[in-house]
PDB file of all heavy atoms in Angstrom:
ATOM      1  N   GLN A1417      -4.796   4.079  22.803  1.00  0.00           N
ATOM      2  CA  GLN A1417      -6.069   4.324  22.136  1.00  0.00           C
ATOM      3  C   GLN A1417      -5.921   4.222  20.631  1.00  0.00           C
ATOM      4  O   GLN A1417      -4.819   4.429  20.097  1.00  0.00           O
ATOM      5  CB  GLN A1417      -6.597   5.714  22.511  1.00  0.00           C
ATOM      6  CG  GLN A1417      -7.002   5.850  23.961  1.00  0.00           C
ATOM      7  CD  GLN A1417      -7.653   7.190  24.248  1.00  0.00           C
ATOM      8  OE1 GLN A1417      -7.527   8.134  23.490  1.00  0.00           O
ATOM      9  NE2 GLN A1417      -8.361   7.257  25.361  1.00  0.00           N
ATOM     10  N   PRO A1418      -6.985   3.916  19.939  1.00  0.00           N
ATOM     11  CA  PRO A1418      -6.929   3.914  18.468  1.00  0.00           C
ATOM     12  C   PRO A1418      -6.402   5.232  17.940  1.00  0.00           C
ATOM     13  O   PRO A1418      -6.774   6.302  18.432  1.00  0.00           O
ATOM     14  CB  PRO A1418      -8.395   3.693  18.071  1.00  0.00           C
ATOM     15  CG  PRO A1418      -8.981   2.950  19.218  1.00  0.00           C
ATOM     16  CD  PRO A1418      -8.302   3.500  20.438  1.00  0.00           C
ATOM     17  N   GLY A1419      -5.524   5.137  16.966  1.00  0.00           N
ATOM     18  CA  GLY A1419      -4.889   6.328  16.419  1.00  0.00           C
ATOM     19  C   GLY A1419      -3.592   6.703  17.105  1.00  0.00           C
ATOM     20  O   GLY A1419      -2.858   7.575  16.618  1.00  0.00           O
ATOM     21  N   GLY A1420      -3.298   6.036  18.193  1.00  0.00           N
ATOM     22  CA  GLY A1420      -2.082   6.337  18.935  1.00  0.00           C
ATOM     23  C   GLY A1420      -0.844   5.668  18.375  1.00  0.00           C
ATOM     24  O   GLY A1420      -0.896   5.010  17.328  1.00  0.00           O
ATOM     25  N   SER A1421       0.259   5.853  19.095  1.00  0.00           N
ATOM     26  CA  SER A1421       1.554   5.324  18.644  1.00  0.00           C
ATOM     27  C   SER A1421       2.274   4.604  19.776  1.00  0.00           C
ATOM     28  O   SER A1421       2.070   4.911  20.956  1.00  0.00           O
ATOM     29  CB  SER A1421       2.447   6.467  18.147  1.00  0.00           C
ATOM     30  OG  SER A1421       1.880   7.132  17.045  1.00  0.00           O
ATOM     31  N   LEU A1422       3.114   3.668  19.391  1.00  0.00           N
ATOM     32  CA  LEU A1422       4.004   2.973  20.318  1.00  0.00           C
ATOM     33  C   LEU A1422       5.299   2.659  19.590  1.00  0.00           C
ATOM     34  O   LEU A1422       5.301   2.512  18.358  1.00  0.00           O
ATOM     35  CB  LEU A1422       3.387   1.659  20.809  1.00  0.00           C
ATOM     36  CG  LEU A1422       2.345   1.688  21.925  1.00  0.00           C
ATOM     37  CD1 LEU A1422       1.799   0.280  22.158  1.00  0.00           C
ATOM     38  CD2 LEU A1422       2.910   2.270  23.200  1.00  0.00           C
ATOM     39  N   ILE A1423       6.385   2.545  20.357  1.00  0.00           N
ATOM     40  CA  ILE A1423       7.657   2.082  19.809  1.00  0.00           C
ATOM     41  C   ILE A1423       8.066   0.828  20.563  1.00  0.00           C
ATOM     42  O   ILE A1423       8.229   0.856  21.784  1.00  0.00           O
ATOM     43  CB  ILE A1423       8.758   3.138  19.944  1.00  0.00           C
ATOM     44  CG1 ILE A1423       8.377   4.420  19.231  1.00  0.00           C
ATOM     45  CG2 ILE A1423      10.068   2.599  19.360  1.00  0.00           C
ATOM     46  CD1 ILE A1423       9.396   5.535  19.419  1.00  0.00           C
ATOM     47  N   LEU A1424       8.205  -0.258  19.843  1.00  0.00           N
ATOM     48  CA  LEU A1424       8.682  -1.500  20.423  1.00  0.00           C
ATOM     49  C   LEU A1424      10.185  -1.613  20.218  1.00  0.00           C
ATOM     50  O   LEU A1424      10.720  -1.163  19.199  1.00  0.00           O
ATOM     51  CB  LEU A1424       7.997  -2.698  19.780  1.00  0.00           C
ATOM     52  CG  LEU A1424       6.474  -2.716  19.817  1.00  0.00           C
ATOM     53  CD1 LEU A1424       5.962  -4.026  19.217  1.00  0.00           C
ATOM     54  CD2 LEU A1424       5.941  -2.507  21.198  1.00  0.00           C
ATOM     55  N   SER A1425      10.844  -2.230  21.177  1.00  0.00           N
ATOM     56  CA  SER A1425      12.280  -2.462  21.080  1.00  0.00           C
ATOM     57  C   SER A1425      12.570  -3.946  21.281  1.00  0.00           C
ATOM     58  O   SER A1425      11.855  -4.637  22.004  1.00  0.00           O
ATOM     59  CB  SER A1425      13.031  -1.667  22.147  1.00  0.00           C
ATOM     60  OG  SER A1425      12.823  -0.281  22.005  1.00  0.00           O
ATOM     61  N   CYS A1426      13.617  -4.397  20.646  1.00  0.00           N
ATOM     62  CA  CYS A1426      14.086  -5.775  20.797  1.00  0.00           C
ATOM     63  C   CYS A1426      15.588  -5.715  21.000  1.00  0.00           C
ATOM     64  O   CYS A1426      16.324  -5.267  20.111  1.00  0.00           O
ATOM     65  CB  CYS A1426      13.733  -6.592  19.569  1.00  0.00           C
ATOM     66  SG  CYS A1426      14.448  -8.263  19.538  1.00  0.00           S
ATOM     67  N   VAL A1427      16.028  -6.157  22.159  1.00  0.00           N
ATOM     68  CA  VAL A1427      17.442  -6.105  22.501  1.00  0.00           C
ATOM     69  C   VAL A1427      18.027  -7.513  22.427  1.00  0.00           C
ATOM     70  O   VAL A1427      17.396  -8.480  22.850  1.00  0.00           O
ATOM     71  CB  VAL A1427      17.635  -5.537  23.923  1.00  0.00           C
ATOM     72  CG1 VAL A1427      19.101  -5.520  24.293  1.00  0.00           C
ATOM     73  CG2 VAL A1427      17.044  -4.147  24.019  1.00  0.00           C
ATOM     74  N   THR A1428      19.215  -7.605  21.874  1.00  0.00           N
ATOM     75  CA  THR A1428      19.894  -8.897  21.791  1.00  0.00           C
ATOM     76  C   THR A1428      21.008  -8.983  22.820  1.00  0.00           C
ATOM     77  O   THR A1428      21.608  -7.968  23.184  1.00  0.00           O
ATOM     78  CB  THR A1428      20.496  -9.127  20.399  1.00  0.00           C
ATOM     79  OG1 THR A1428      21.572  -8.193  20.214  1.00  0.00           O
ATOM     80  CG2 THR A1428      19.478  -8.920  19.318  1.00  0.00           C
ATOM     81  N   SER A1429      21.271 -10.195  23.248  1.00  0.00           N
ATOM     82  CA  SER A1429      22.379 -10.407  24.177  1.00  0.00           C
ATOM     83  C   SER A1429      23.717 -10.378  23.444  1.00  0.00           C
ATOM     84  O   SER A1429      24.765 -10.222  24.064  1.00  0.00           O
ATOM     85  CB  SER A1429      22.196 -11.743  24.907  1.00  0.00           C
ATOM     86  OG  SER A1429      22.101 -12.808  23.977  1.00  0.00           O
ATOM     87  N   GLU A1430      23.666 -10.553  22.132  1.00  0.00           N
ATOM     88  CA  GLU A1430      24.861 -10.457  21.286  1.00  0.00           C
ATOM     89  C   GLU A1430      24.604  -9.359  20.254  1.00  0.00           C
ATOM     90  O   GLU A1430      23.860  -9.568  19.300  1.00  0.00           O
ATOM     91  CB  GLU A1430      25.149 -11.796  20.613  1.00  0.00           C
ATOM     92  CG  GLU A1430      25.472 -12.911  21.591  1.00  0.00           C
ATOM     93  CD  GLU A1430      25.757 -14.231  20.898  1.00  0.00           C
ATOM     94  OE1 GLU A1430      25.988 -14.226  19.682  1.00  0.00           O
ATOM     95  OE2 GLU A1430      25.735 -15.269  21.580  1.00  0.00           O
ATOM     96  N   THR A1431      25.206  -8.218  20.447  1.00  0.00           N
ATOM     97  CA  THR A1431      24.906  -7.008  19.671  1.00  0.00           C
ATOM     98  C   THR A1431      24.939  -7.238  18.161  1.00  0.00           C
ATOM     99  O   THR A1431      24.072  -6.759  17.434  1.00  0.00           O
ATOM    100  CB  THR A1431      25.901  -5.903  20.033  1.00  0.00           C
ATOM    101  OG1 THR A1431      25.869  -5.682  21.442  1.00  0.00           O
ATOM    102  CG2 THR A1431      25.566  -4.629  19.302  1.00  0.00           C
ATOM    103  N   ALA A1432      25.898  -7.987  17.684  1.00  0.00           N
ATOM    104  CA  ALA A1432      26.081  -8.154  16.248  1.00  0.00           C
ATOM    105  C   ALA A1432      24.904  -8.865  15.581  1.00  0.00           C
ATOM    106  O   ALA A1432      24.687  -8.728  14.378  1.00  0.00           O
ATOM    107  CB  ALA A1432      27.361  -8.926  15.977  1.00  0.00           C
ATOM    108  N   LEU A1433      24.129  -9.600  16.352  1.00  0.00           N
ATOM    109  CA  LEU A1433      23.010 -10.338  15.762  1.00  0.00           C
ATOM    110  C   LEU A1433      22.013  -9.409  15.097  1.00  0.00           C
ATOM    111  O   LEU A1433      21.369  -9.777  14.111  1.00  0.00           O
ATOM    112  CB  LEU A1433      22.311 -11.174  16.829  1.00  0.00           C
ATOM    113  CG  LEU A1433      23.059 -12.402  17.353  1.00  0.00           C
ATOM    114  CD1 LEU A1433      22.241 -13.075  18.432  1.00  0.00           C
ATOM    115  CD2 LEU A1433      23.381 -13.356  16.227  1.00  0.00           C
ATOM    116  N   ILE A1434      21.873  -8.207  15.645  1.00  0.00           N
ATOM    117  CA  ILE A1434      20.873  -7.283  15.112  1.00  0.00           C
ATOM    118  C   ILE A1434      21.175  -6.901  13.668  1.00  0.00           C
ATOM    119  O   ILE A1434      20.294  -6.505  12.931  1.00  0.00           O
ATOM    120  CB  ILE A1434      20.791  -6.036  16.014  1.00  0.00           C
ATOM    121  CG1 ILE A1434      20.022  -6.375  17.293  1.00  0.00           C
ATOM    122  CG2 ILE A1434      20.161  -4.868  15.308  1.00  0.00           C
ATOM    123  CD1 ILE A1434      18.574  -6.687  17.071  1.00  0.00           C
ATOM    124  N   LYS A1435      22.426  -7.033  13.248  1.00  0.00           N
ATOM    125  CA  LYS A1435      22.807  -6.637  11.896  1.00  0.00           C
ATOM    126  C   LYS A1435      22.412  -7.695  10.861  1.00  0.00           C
ATOM    127  O   LYS A1435      22.565  -7.470   9.658  1.00  0.00           O
ATOM    128  CB  LYS A1435      24.313  -6.384  11.843  1.00  0.00           C
ATOM    129  CG  LYS A1435      24.747  -5.232  12.746  1.00  0.00           C
ATOM    130  CD  LYS A1435      26.249  -5.011  12.705  1.00  0.00           C
ATOM    131  CE  LYS A1435      26.649  -3.886  13.650  1.00  0.00           C
ATOM    132  NZ  LYS A1435      28.113  -3.650  13.667  1.00  0.00           N
ATOM    133  N   ASN A1436      21.901  -8.824  11.319  1.00  0.00           N
ATOM    134  CA  ASN A1436      21.386  -9.844  10.414  1.00  0.00           C
ATOM    135  C   ASN A1436      19.991  -9.469   9.929  1.00  0.00           C
ATOM    136  O   ASN A1436      19.420  -8.472  10.353  1.00  0.00           O
ATOM    137  CB  ASN A1436      21.326 -11.194  11.135  1.00  0.00           C
ATOM    138  CG  ASN A1436      22.691 -11.785  11.370  1.00  0.00           C
ATOM    139  OD1 ASN A1436      23.380 -12.188  10.439  1.00  0.00           O
ATOM    140  ND2 ASN A1436      23.105 -11.827  12.625  1.00  0.00           N
ATOM    141  N   PHE A1437      19.437 -10.279   9.048  1.00  0.00           N
ATOM    142  CA  PHE A1437      18.046 -10.142   8.663  1.00  0.00           C
ATOM    143  C   PHE A1437      17.211 -10.384   9.913  1.00  0.00           C
ATOM    144  O   PHE A1437      17.331 -11.407  10.564  1.00  0.00           O
ATOM    145  CB  PHE A1437      17.700 -11.174   7.588  1.00  0.00           C
ATOM    146  CG  PHE A1437      16.281 -11.117   7.121  1.00  0.00           C
ATOM    147  CD1 PHE A1437      15.946 -10.413   5.981  1.00  0.00           C
ATOM    148  CD2 PHE A1437      15.264 -11.765   7.823  1.00  0.00           C
ATOM    149  CE1 PHE A1437      14.638 -10.355   5.533  1.00  0.00           C
ATOM    150  CE2 PHE A1437      13.950 -11.710   7.390  1.00  0.00           C
ATOM    151  CZ  PHE A1437      13.644 -11.006   6.244  1.00  0.00           C
ATOM    152  N   MET A1438      16.363  -9.418  10.252  1.00  0.00           N
ATOM    153  CA  MET A1438      15.534  -9.490  11.440  1.00  0.00           C
ATOM    154  C   MET A1438      14.087  -9.199  11.068  1.00  0.00           C
ATOM    155  O   MET A1438      13.818  -8.488  10.095  1.00  0.00           O
ATOM    156  CB  MET A1438      15.992  -8.473  12.486  1.00  0.00           C
ATOM    157  CG  MET A1438      17.394  -8.682  13.025  1.00  0.00           C
ATOM    158  SD  MET A1438      17.527 -10.127  14.099  1.00  0.00           S
ATOM    159  CE  MET A1438      16.395  -9.708  15.430  1.00  0.00           C
ATOM    160  N   ALA A1439      13.172  -9.708  11.884  1.00  0.00           N
ATOM    161  CA  ALA A1439      11.764  -9.506  11.590  1.00  0.00           C
ATOM    162  C   ALA A1439      10.949  -9.327  12.859  1.00  0.00           C
ATOM    163  O   ALA A1439      11.368  -9.720  13.946  1.00  0.00           O
ATOM    164  CB  ALA A1439      11.224 -10.692  10.793  1.00  0.00           C
ATOM    165  N   TRP A1440       9.788  -8.712  12.685  1.00  0.00           N
ATOM    166  CA  TRP A1440       8.767  -8.632  13.725  1.00  0.00           C
ATOM    167  C   TRP A1440       7.572  -9.476  13.278  1.00  0.00           C
ATOM    168  O   TRP A1440       7.172  -9.427  12.109  1.00  0.00           O
ATOM    169  CB  TRP A1440       8.308  -7.196  13.945  1.00  0.00           C
ATOM    170  CG  TRP A1440       9.269  -6.337  14.690  1.00  0.00           C
ATOM    171  CD1 TRP A1440      10.174  -5.460  14.152  1.00  0.00           C
ATOM    172  CD2 TRP A1440       9.413  -6.241  16.120  1.00  0.00           C
ATOM    173  NE1 TRP A1440      10.881  -4.843  15.157  1.00  0.00           N
ATOM    174  CE2 TRP A1440      10.428  -5.293  16.376  1.00  0.00           C
ATOM    175  CE3 TRP A1440       8.788  -6.854  17.205  1.00  0.00           C
ATOM    176  CZ2 TRP A1440      10.834  -4.954  17.668  1.00  0.00           C
ATOM    177  CZ3 TRP A1440       9.186  -6.525  18.479  1.00  0.00           C
ATOM    178  CH2 TRP A1440      10.203  -5.583  18.709  1.00  0.00           C
ATOM    179  N   TYR A1441       7.015 -10.199  14.235  1.00  0.00           N
ATOM    180  CA  TYR A1441       5.790 -10.955  14.030  1.00  0.00           C
ATOM    181  C   TYR A1441       4.818 -10.573  15.134  1.00  0.00           C
ATOM    182  O   TYR A1441       5.193  -9.972  16.145  1.00  0.00           O
ATOM    183  CB  TYR A1441       6.065 -12.465  14.096  1.00  0.00           C
ATOM    184  CG  TYR A1441       6.680 -13.046  12.853  1.00  0.00           C
ATOM    185  CD1 TYR A1441       8.011 -12.796  12.529  1.00  0.00           C
ATOM    186  CD2 TYR A1441       5.934 -13.844  11.991  1.00  0.00           C
ATOM    187  CE1 TYR A1441       8.579 -13.329  11.377  1.00  0.00           C
ATOM    188  CE2 TYR A1441       6.488 -14.387  10.846  1.00  0.00           C
ATOM    189  CZ  TYR A1441       7.809 -14.131  10.548  1.00  0.00           C
ATOM    190  OH  TYR A1441       8.358 -14.664   9.401  1.00  0.00           O
ATOM    191  N   ARG A1442       3.562 -10.944  14.957  1.00  0.00           N
ATOM    192  CA  ARG A1442       2.576 -10.718  16.004  1.00  0.00           C
ATOM    193  C   ARG A1442       1.590 -11.873  16.044  1.00  0.00           C
ATOM    194  O   ARG A1442       1.405 -12.565  15.035  1.00  0.00           O
ATOM    195  CB  ARG A1442       1.850  -9.391  15.811  1.00  0.00           C
ATOM    196  CG  ARG A1442       0.961  -9.328  14.585  1.00  0.00           C
ATOM    197  CD  ARG A1442       0.417  -7.912  14.419  1.00  0.00           C
ATOM    198  NE  ARG A1442      -0.466  -7.804  13.257  1.00  0.00           N
ATOM    199  CZ  ARG A1442      -0.985  -6.656  12.835  1.00  0.00           C
ATOM    200  NH1 ARG A1442      -0.699  -5.511  13.478  1.00  0.00           N
ATOM    201  NH2 ARG A1442      -1.785  -6.634  11.792  1.00  0.00           N
ATOM    202  N   GLN A1443       0.985 -12.034  17.194  1.00  0.00           N
ATOM    203  CA  GLN A1443      -0.003 -13.093  17.361  1.00  0.00           C
ATOM    204  C   GLN A1443      -1.141 -12.590  18.225  1.00  0.00           C
ATOM    205  O   GLN A1443      -0.935 -12.231  19.386  1.00  0.00           O
ATOM    206  CB  GLN A1443       0.630 -14.339  17.982  1.00  0.00           C
ATOM    207  CG  GLN A1443      -0.294 -15.537  18.023  1.00  0.00           C
ATOM    208  CD  GLN A1443       0.440 -16.820  18.366  1.00  0.00           C
ATOM    209  OE1 GLN A1443       1.548 -16.800  18.899  1.00  0.00           O
ATOM    210  NE2 GLN A1443      -0.162 -17.956  18.045  1.00  0.00           N
ATOM    211  N   ALA A1444      -2.318 -12.555  17.638  1.00  0.00           N
ATOM    212  CA  ALA A1444      -3.520 -12.158  18.356  1.00  0.00           C
ATOM    213  C   ALA A1444      -4.143 -13.400  18.990  1.00  0.00           C
ATOM    214  O   ALA A1444      -3.932 -14.521  18.518  1.00  0.00           O
ATOM    215  CB  ALA A1444      -4.501 -11.495  17.404  1.00  0.00           C
ATOM    216  N   PRO A1445      -4.928 -13.229  20.041  1.00  0.00           N
ATOM    217  CA  PRO A1445      -5.559 -14.368  20.698  1.00  0.00           C
ATOM    218  C   PRO A1445      -6.377 -15.200  19.717  1.00  0.00           C
ATOM    219  O   PRO A1445      -7.177 -14.664  18.950  1.00  0.00           O
ATOM    220  CB  PRO A1445      -6.460 -13.709  21.742  1.00  0.00           C
ATOM    221  CG  PRO A1445      -5.809 -12.412  22.030  1.00  0.00           C
ATOM    222  CD  PRO A1445      -5.221 -11.964  20.722  1.00  0.00           C
ATOM    223  N   GLY A1446      -6.151 -16.494  19.721  1.00  0.00           N
ATOM    224  CA  GLY A1446      -6.907 -17.387  18.870  1.00  0.00           C
ATOM    225  C   GLY A1446      -6.488 -17.402  17.418  1.00  0.00           C
ATOM    226  O   GLY A1446      -7.131 -18.069  16.595  1.00  0.00           O
ATOM    227  N   LYS A1447      -5.421 -16.662  17.098  1.00  0.00           N
ATOM    228  CA  LYS A1447      -4.961 -16.600  15.707  1.00  0.00           C
ATOM    229  C   LYS A1447      -3.528 -17.079  15.597  1.00  0.00           C
ATOM    230  O   LYS A1447      -2.803 -17.145  16.585  1.00  0.00           O
ATOM    231  CB  LYS A1447      -5.088 -15.176  15.166  1.00  0.00           C
ATOM    232  CG  LYS A1447      -6.513 -14.672  15.080  1.00  0.00           C
ATOM    233  CD  LYS A1447      -6.561 -13.320  14.390  1.00  0.00           C
ATOM    234  CE  LYS A1447      -7.998 -12.842  14.235  1.00  0.00           C
ATOM    235  NZ  LYS A1447      -8.060 -11.522  13.526  1.00  0.00           N
ATOM    236  N   GLU A1448      -3.127 -17.395  14.372  1.00  0.00           N
ATOM    237  CA  GLU A1448      -1.757 -17.813  14.148  1.00  0.00           C
ATOM    238  C   GLU A1448      -0.821 -16.607  14.161  1.00  0.00           C
ATOM    239  O   GLU A1448      -1.236 -15.474  13.894  1.00  0.00           O
ATOM    240  CB  GLU A1448      -1.662 -18.546  12.799  1.00  0.00           C
ATOM    241  CG  GLU A1448      -2.394 -19.879  12.769  1.00  0.00           C
ATOM    242  CD  GLU A1448      -2.115 -20.654  11.496  1.00  0.00           C
ATOM    243  OE1 GLU A1448      -1.446 -20.112  10.594  1.00  0.00           O
ATOM    244  OE2 GLU A1448      -2.570 -21.807  11.416  1.00  0.00           O
ATOM    245  N   ARG A1449       0.432 -16.890  14.460  1.00  0.00           N
ATOM    246  CA  ARG A1449       1.436 -15.834  14.411  1.00  0.00           C
ATOM    247  C   ARG A1449       1.586 -15.366  12.966  1.00  0.00           C
ATOM    248  O   ARG A1449       1.661 -16.181  12.042  1.00  0.00           O
ATOM    249  CB  ARG A1449       2.762 -16.359  14.958  1.00  0.00           C
ATOM    250  CG  ARG A1449       3.794 -15.305  15.222  1.00  0.00           C
ATOM    251  CD  ARG A1449       4.948 -15.859  16.039  1.00  0.00           C
ATOM    252  NE  ARG A1449       4.514 -16.274  17.368  1.00  0.00           N
ATOM    253  CZ  ARG A1449       5.360 -16.666  18.333  1.00  0.00           C
ATOM    254  NH1 ARG A1449       6.668 -16.675  18.103  1.00  0.00           N
ATOM    255  NH2 ARG A1449       4.891 -17.050  19.495  1.00  0.00           N
ATOM    256  N   GLU A1450       1.670 -14.053  12.767  1.00  0.00           N
ATOM    257  CA  GLU A1450       1.771 -13.511  11.418  1.00  0.00           C
ATOM    258  C   GLU A1450       2.926 -12.530  11.299  1.00  0.00           C
ATOM    259  O   GLU A1450       3.303 -11.849  12.253  1.00  0.00           O
ATOM    260  CB  GLU A1450       0.456 -12.818  11.015  1.00  0.00           C
ATOM    261  CG  GLU A1450       0.121 -11.584  11.816  1.00  0.00           C
ATOM    262  CD  GLU A1450      -1.125 -10.859  11.294  1.00  0.00           C
ATOM    263  OE1 GLU A1450      -1.784 -11.361  10.370  1.00  0.00           O
ATOM    264  OE2 GLU A1450      -1.429  -9.767  11.820  1.00  0.00           O
ATOM    265  N   TYR A1451       3.439 -12.465  10.108  1.00  0.00           N
ATOM    266  CA  TYR A1451       4.541 -11.576   9.766  1.00  0.00           C
ATOM    267  C   TYR A1451       4.078 -10.123   9.807  1.00  0.00           C
ATOM    268  O   TYR A1451       2.972  -9.794   9.369  1.00  0.00           O
ATOM    269  CB  TYR A1451       5.037 -11.934   8.370  1.00  0.00           C
ATOM    270  CG  TYR A1451       5.980 -10.956   7.738  1.00  0.00           C
ATOM    271  CD1 TYR A1451       7.335 -10.994   7.987  1.00  0.00           C
ATOM    272  CD2 TYR A1451       5.507  -9.986   6.858  1.00  0.00           C
ATOM    273  CE1 TYR A1451       8.208 -10.106   7.396  1.00  0.00           C
ATOM    274  CE2 TYR A1451       6.359  -9.094   6.260  1.00  0.00           C
ATOM    275  CZ  TYR A1451       7.716  -9.157   6.526  1.00  0.00           C
ATOM    276  OH  TYR A1451       8.566  -8.268   5.934  1.00  0.00           O
ATOM    277  N   VAL A1452       4.933  -9.251  10.322  1.00  0.00           N
ATOM    278  CA  VAL A1452       4.631  -7.823  10.370  1.00  0.00           C
ATOM    279  C   VAL A1452       5.598  -7.020   9.491  1.00  0.00           C
ATOM    280  O   VAL A1452       5.185  -6.265   8.625  1.00  0.00           O
ATOM    281  CB  VAL A1452       4.685  -7.295  11.816  1.00  0.00           C
ATOM    282  CG1 VAL A1452       4.504  -5.781  11.843  1.00  0.00           C
ATOM    283  CG2 VAL A1452       3.637  -7.981  12.682  1.00  0.00           C
ATOM    284  N   ALA A1453       6.895  -7.202   9.748  1.00  0.00           N
ATOM    285  CA  ALA A1453       7.886  -6.401   9.033  1.00  0.00           C
ATOM    286  C   ALA A1453       9.251  -7.065   9.154  1.00  0.00           C
ATOM    287  O   ALA A1453       9.481  -7.867  10.063  1.00  0.00           O
ATOM    288  CB  ALA A1453       7.946  -4.985   9.589  1.00  0.00           C
ATOM    289  N   SER A1454      10.149  -6.699   8.249  1.00  0.00           N
ATOM    290  CA  SER A1454      11.505  -7.229   8.306  1.00  0.00           C
ATOM    291  C   SER A1454      12.493  -6.209   7.767  1.00  0.00           C
ATOM    292  O   SER A1454      12.122  -5.270   7.039  1.00  0.00           O
ATOM    293  CB  SER A1454      11.613  -8.539   7.516  1.00  0.00           C
ATOM    294  OG  SER A1454      11.277  -8.334   6.162  1.00  0.00           O
ATOM    295  N   ILE A1455      13.749  -6.408   8.139  1.00  0.00           N
ATOM    296  CA  ILE A1455      14.831  -5.547   7.664  1.00  0.00           C
ATOM    297  C   ILE A1455      16.011  -6.439   7.313  1.00  0.00           C
ATOM    298  O   ILE A1455      16.389  -7.333   8.081  1.00  0.00           O
ATOM    299  CB  ILE A1455      15.200  -4.488   8.728  1.00  0.00           C
ATOM    300  CG1 ILE A1455      16.260  -3.526   8.188  1.00  0.00           C
ATOM    301  CG2 ILE A1455      15.631  -5.121  10.048  1.00  0.00           C
ATOM    302  CD1 ILE A1455      16.435  -2.275   9.068  1.00  0.00           C
ATOM    303  N   SER A1456      16.577  -6.202   6.135  1.00  0.00           N
ATOM    304  CA  SER A1456      17.655  -7.057   5.658  1.00  0.00           C
ATOM    305  C   SER A1456      19.001  -6.580   6.199  1.00  0.00           C
ATOM    306  O   SER A1456      19.098  -5.547   6.874  1.00  0.00           O
ATOM    307  CB  SER A1456      17.687  -7.049   4.128  1.00  0.00           C
ATOM    308  OG  SER A1456      18.223  -5.822   3.659  1.00  0.00           O
ATOM    309  N   THR A1457      20.046  -7.311   5.849  1.00  0.00           N
ATOM    310  CA  THR A1457      21.392  -6.958   6.308  1.00  0.00           C
ATOM    311  C   THR A1457      21.844  -5.608   5.747  1.00  0.00           C
ATOM    312  O   THR A1457      22.668  -4.928   6.362  1.00  0.00           O
ATOM    313  CB  THR A1457      22.399  -8.030   5.902  1.00  0.00           C
ATOM    314  OG1 THR A1457      22.331  -8.216   4.478  1.00  0.00           O
ATOM    315  CG2 THR A1457      22.099  -9.364   6.590  1.00  0.00           C
ATOM    316  N   ILE A1458      21.280  -5.219   4.604  1.00  0.00           N
ATOM    317  CA  ILE A1458      21.668  -3.940   4.021  1.00  0.00           C
ATOM    318  C   ILE A1458      20.634  -2.853   4.295  1.00  0.00           C
ATOM    319  O   ILE A1458      20.705  -1.770   3.736  1.00  0.00           O
ATOM    320  CB  ILE A1458      21.907  -4.059   2.502  1.00  0.00           C
ATOM    321  CG1 ILE A1458      20.643  -4.530   1.789  1.00  0.00           C
ATOM    322  CG2 ILE A1458      23.082  -4.986   2.215  1.00  0.00           C
ATOM    323  CD1 ILE A1458      20.746  -4.460   0.271  1.00  0.00           C
ATOM    324  N   GLY A1459      19.661  -3.170   5.135  1.00  0.00           N
ATOM    325  CA  GLY A1459      18.704  -2.154   5.551  1.00  0.00           C
ATOM    326  C   GLY A1459      17.436  -2.068   4.722  1.00  0.00           C
ATOM    327  O   GLY A1459      16.613  -1.173   4.961  1.00  0.00           O
TER     328      GLY A1459
END
């Protein structure tokens, strides 16, 4: 519901990959994929 919360997870098959620069994107119906957030190698 609006105002609620969720936690998304992304698991890698190679654990070390997560320590790279990583990002979340999203795509709504009929729209282009857009940037949401990112985290660098140093956090």
Side-chain angles (χ1 to χ4, degrees):
Q1417 293 186 342
S1421 298
L1422 280 175
I1423 301 176
L1424 304 184
S1425 299
C1426 172
V1427 178
T1428 68
S1429 57
E1430 297 180 15
T1431 304
L1433 288 178
I1434 284 293
K1435 297 179 182 179
N1436 288 292
F1437 180 96
M1438 297 289 299
W1440 285 98
Y1441 282 73
R1442 67 186 181 185
Q1443 187 168 19
K1447 296 186 177 181
E1448 293 188 354
R1449 192 167 296 187
E1450 66 175 5
Y1451 168 85
V1452 174
S1454 60
I1455 184 167
S1456 75
T1457 56
I1458 60 171

